[in-house]
Amino acid sequence: MNLNKVHNVYFVGIGGIGMSALARYFVANGKLVAGYDKTPSEITDSLVALGVGVHFEDAVKNIPLPFLDAENTLVVYTPAIPQGHLEFEYFKANHFKILKRSQILGLITENTFCLAVAGTHGKTTTSSILGHLLNECDVPMTAFLGGICENYNSNLIINGTEVSVVEADEFDRSFLTLSPNLACITSMDADHLDVYGDASELIKSFEDFSKKIKPNGKLFVRNGLPIQGITYGIEDDSDYSVQNIKIENGAYVFDVKTPKTVLENLQFNLPGRHNLSNALIALAMAVEYGCPHLQLAKALASFKGVKRRFSYQIKTDDFVFIDDYAHHPEEINAVHQAVREMYPNKKVMAIFQPHLFSRTRDFIDDFAKSLSKFDEVLLLDIYPARELPMEGVTSSWLLSKIENENKQLVNKTELLKKIHESSATVVLTIGAGDIGEEVKDIKKEFTREN
């Protein structure tokens, strides 16, 4: 399909983070764009500000007239839309061109030099760093991000269309639509078992992804993963390796050994070894692409992070409040490591909202173990997202398994009171559900106090 010949693009589920990045891309390319979403949000507000028509009631009468022309309209949908969605059913019945978000990304990557970031954790941060590095090195590229990059306050970085940076998402195997020139795999921990059944199927899909790389392309893998490629790691014998790590003023200063040389005294401002690993692989891919080392060093030091990825909301000597999207036990472990490295002697409270009944069930013991490491734990009810409740799978069950004296199940309405009652001076909100909506209130309350 030739995207150049499409005039109108209609999105069913336009408010999703990946969908809205595509919507912005098509606006930047001069297309007429509109769409439906379930609820208004900051993302839909920012699309409306760009001139995109967005409505929130699922009804065919709400589809703007130009988008009822099946000849000139492409419909993009998210797998998260429910069965029997009226607008979606209308488009199907009237033989519109309908593609999933991942298929559109596949089309874009076929016709560009593509750098793809795969892995069960770290995709958004890594692709944001990579997009920023290439942008700062004046590469004519578009980066589609699964989060809001703080440097651009956007989930799209656009400086041209010859090169694309994309997240290769393993959920529902959608990354198998991509054709990358350079790709990396950051991690292959069991996740999305509601789709895959068991971990061996997930590993097989990563192997399939590694075969999607274009001829003469390159695959980078984190050292220790069971797939062949150019390796990267921290303080080890990988092809690309971080060495001589120091922490200065809350930032990492380190060297990177590449296959050809050593880059000295690089600086990176995001806390946590997992973020250092993300920075390393983004740097390695940019080096292999051909970016100049001096420009890369400067670009790396200027990267500000991604919203909801270890995002500092309050950072004073007396009180620190951090918000993070972690929703898998390994990600919670990474947040814990980062916070202990930065604040070794402080009392840390974690407020966690589990995401999905199936994920809670599949990893209940691992969740309990990772949450037990904090000094205090407040647990919210499970955020269902696309799922119906499962018998016996509750936050109370998870709470019973957490080995920590200071733990309790709380309601969102009690959060401010509970934080006030605690002696913790570092507070974390963690989860991929709507816990992010509570962040503004917590920030406002405790900014006033500090």
Side-chain angles (χ1 to χ4, degrees), residues 153-192:
N153 195 28
S154 178
N155 50 353
L156 184 77
I157 308 172
I158 188 157
N159 183 29
T161 52
E162 287 169 38
V163 175
S164 57
V165 174
V166 298
E167 292 184 36
D169 192 359
E170 74 285 353
F171 173 68
D172 77 1
R173 298 181 173 82
S174 65
F175 61 178
L176 300 181
T177 61
L178 303 175
S179 341
N181 297 75
L182 300 177
C184 72
I185 300 174
T186 62
S187 46
M188 286 163 50
D189 295 301
D191 197 5
H192 303 303

Side-chain angles (χ1 to χ4, degrees), residues 117-153:
V117 177
T120 41
H121 326 294
K123 287 188 291 289
T124 297
T125 303
T126 303
S127 50
S128 299
I129 301 167
L130 180 55
H132 177 62
L133 296 180
L134 296 177
N135 189 56
E136 289 291 295
C137 293
D138 298 317
V139 174
M141 63 93 222
T142 305
F144 298 90
L145 309 174
I148 303 294
C149 182
E150 299 277 13
N151 292 71
Y152 307 91
N153 195 28

